[in-house]
Amino acid sequence: MASKAPFTDSDTADEAVRSTCDDASICKRFATSKGYWNDPYIQNFVRQTGERKAPEINRGYYARVHGVNHLLDAFLEKTHCDCQVVSLGAGLDTTFWRLKGENTLPKKYFEVDFPMIVARKVHHIKTKPQLSKPLMETHSADSLLLDGHNLDSDRYCIISADLRDLPSLEEKLRKFHINTKLPTLFVSECVLVYMTPEQSSKLVHWVSHTFHTAMFINYEQVNMADRFGQIMIENLQRRQCNLAGVVVCQSLDSQKERFLSTGWESVNALDMMAVYSLLPQEDISRIERLEFLDEKELLQQLLQHYSICWAVKDTLNLGISEIGF
Ligand SMILES: C[S@@+](CC[C@H](N)C(=O)[O-])C[C@H]1O[C@@H](n2cnc3c(N)ncnc32)[C@H](O)[C@@H]1O
């Protein structure tokens, strides 16, 4: 009889990486409860805990969510939603429901994460009408697949896969009818940093060589070689969370190089301090009135240690290389 593989270090390491999904959604839920932005869906995935988050954390998440959404919405506009979106390491993200509510859904919205995270997400979708109802509205045929490991419908698909296993990821995306000829946006938020540089390079190389017209938005750490960056690394290591790809997070140039060396036509990168200053200032004034911020310097340091990098390959000449802040 085949015996079950023993529990390994990599199981512990992957468990620590999966737990970052809860960090993100708990922080997003807290920030929305304070009024930083509106997300009526996230409460279905995470309960409000008594734990408070510091104002600089809330502002950091505001910049992250608005920065990524700004680029994502621009891509949907340029392609008139005649496109696909693939959210890598999507966790408990709620963007599908936002886009459904705003009537800007792409042709199909894909998400990928580890099987355990997908199982949790699918369970919430099955049991919460606020999540399942919009999904059913976008689904015409009676071929909705909803098992513990995947969800597939006309417009929304959640796939269990390990992003480090490219052949398996590709097979699953094709099984769920990804169309490599349709303009496709890939999004990752603090995901590639948990893979080795070789693994993330292979992934971004595969995207640029497989999709005719594509964009990749990557939000993650930057300037990690300084003292503040070292403290961030040590804090995560204390939770057994190893940043296997941290060498790519040394600078904006090293972030860009990952894409320039893998066949993308144009690449841009900004740290989140710059993004924060380029977001609509009327809304920034509103959120800055929500909570008193004592530690202005800490906010600055935090924002200088995260970045958005976006890369484009525009074979169809849709003008997506013009997208920016
Ligand atoms: C920091 S969380 C971000 C979640 C979500 N995108 C958000 O911003 O709310 C990172 C996510 O990436 C997933 N992830 C990391 N490495 C992965 C891998 N090799 N394969 C699949 N998912 C992975 C984790 O499980 C987790 O859900």
Side-chain angles (χ1 to χ4, degrees):
M1 200 174 73
S3 61
K4 197 173 176 296
F7 197 68
T8 62
D9 280 353
S10 92
D11 293 327
T12 316
D14 283 356
E15 183 49 42
V17 170
R18 282 192 292 270
S19 73
T20 64
C21 157
D22 287 318
D23 296 340
S25 40
I26 289 169
C27 288
K28 286 179 180 179
R29 160 105 210 228
F30 187 80
T32 57
S33 77
K34 293 298 258 181
Y36 280 84
W37 70 94
N38 183 32
D39 181 349
Y41 304 104
I42 198 158
Q43 63 189 7
N44 292 291
F45 292 112
V46 264
R47 266 188 246 120
Q48 183 85 322
T49 62
E51 197 191 337
R52 296 179 57 76
K53 299 287 170 194
E56 58 274 10
I57 302 284
N58 300 330
R59 288 192 195 180
Y61 270 90
Y62 171 90
R64 165 176 172 169
V65 168
H66 282 74
V68 171
N69 284 351
H70 171 84
L71 297 175
L72 173 108
D73 292 346
F75 183 86
L76 292 167
E77 202 181 315
K78 286 274 183 208
T79 58
H80 306 288
C81 298
D82 192 12
C83 64
Q84 300 163 130
V85 174
V86 183
S87 175
L88 302 171
L92 303 174
D93 184 79
T94 56
T95 303
F96 166 79
W97 290 274
R98 174 177 77 83
L99 299 180
K100 166 75 175 78
E102 293 172 2
N103 224 354
T104 54
L105 269 184
K107 281 260 161 74
K108 196 156 179 173
Y109 191 93
F110 293 87
E111 293 182 351
V112 183
D113 212 300
F114 285 120
M116 270 188 226
I117 302 289
V118 170
R120 276 176 58 195
K121 191 161 194 174
V122 168
H123 172 75
H124 285 300
I125 294 173
K126 271 185 182 167
T127 54
K128 313 271 170 65
Q130 199 189 3
L131 301 175
S132 55
K133 206 166 156 269
L135 177 63
M136 299 315 288
E137 283 165 11
T138 59
H139 189 76
S140 52
D142 56 357
S143 56
L144 177 71
L145 167 76
L146 236 177
D147 60 30
H149 305 289
N150 302 290
L151 176 156
D152 189 36
S153 68
D154 290 347
R155 307 292 289 277
Y156 186 32
C157 179
I158 314 181
I159 296 170
S160 293
D162 185 332
L163 298 168
R164 296 165 298 188
D165 181 356
L166 203 47
S168 160
L169 173 68
E170 182 169 10
E171 185 201 314
K172 288 179 181 173
L173 284 167
R174 289 191 192 274
K175 177 176 162 200
F176 291 112
H177 311 293
I178 193 138
N179 180 350
T180 57
K181 296 198 172 62
L182 209 56
T184 303
L185 171 65
F186 284 77
V187 184
S188 57
E189 285 180 55
C190 295
V191 177
L192 303 186
V193 68
Y194 298 113
M195 303 161 70
T196 64
E198 293 73 31
Q199 288 162 339
S200 65
S201 268
K202 276 190 188 150
L203 179 61
V204 298
H205 178 277
W206 172 75
V207 174
S208 77
H209 288 77
T210 306
F211 292 83
H212 288 211
T213 289
M215 178 162 159
F216 203 119
I217 303 171
N218 183 41
Y219 170 91
E220 73 183 4
Q221 291 88 341
V222 74
N223 298 324
M224 292 299 273
D226 67 13
R227 184 73 199 115
F228 193 86
Q230 286 308 306
I231 293 169
M232 285 165 72
I233 295 170
E234 283 160 24
N235 285 344
L236 281 159
Q237 273 170 348
R238 218 167 289 133
R239 295 169 48 185
Q240 323 251 287
C241 205
N242 179 29
L243 299 182
V246 78
V247 292
V248 188
C249 305
Q250 299 301 303
S251 64
L252 292 175
D253 281 342
S254 61
Q255 283 286 359
K256 282 159 74 172
E257 184 53 31
R258 163 164 44 207
F259 293 96
L260 289 169
S261 61
T262 52
W264 292 83
E265 283 165 14
S266 62
V267 188
N268 288 284
L270 289 173
D271 73 39
M272 294 311 289
M273 193 65 213
V275 171
Y276 192 75
S277 70
L278 293 168
L279 289 172
Q281 290 304 300
E282 208 179 302
D283 205 42
I284 295 283
S285 305
R286 179 189 66 80
I287 63 130
E288 288 188 343
R289 286 194 300 270
L290 290 175
E291 291 179 286
F292 176 67
L293 177 78
D294 206 8
E295 304 264 13
K296 286 213 171 63
E297 220 173 278
L298 185 55
L299 172 68
Q300 243 178 30
Q301 282 190 310
L302 197 63
L303 292 176
Q304 281 162 353
H305 285 82
Y306 284 93
S307 65
I308 295 187
C309 184
W310 64 106
V312 165
K313 178 191 164 196
D314 190 4
T315 314
L316 292 175
N317 273 325
L318 297 175
I320 54 173
S321 47
E322 291 154 21
I323 291 173
F325 287 91

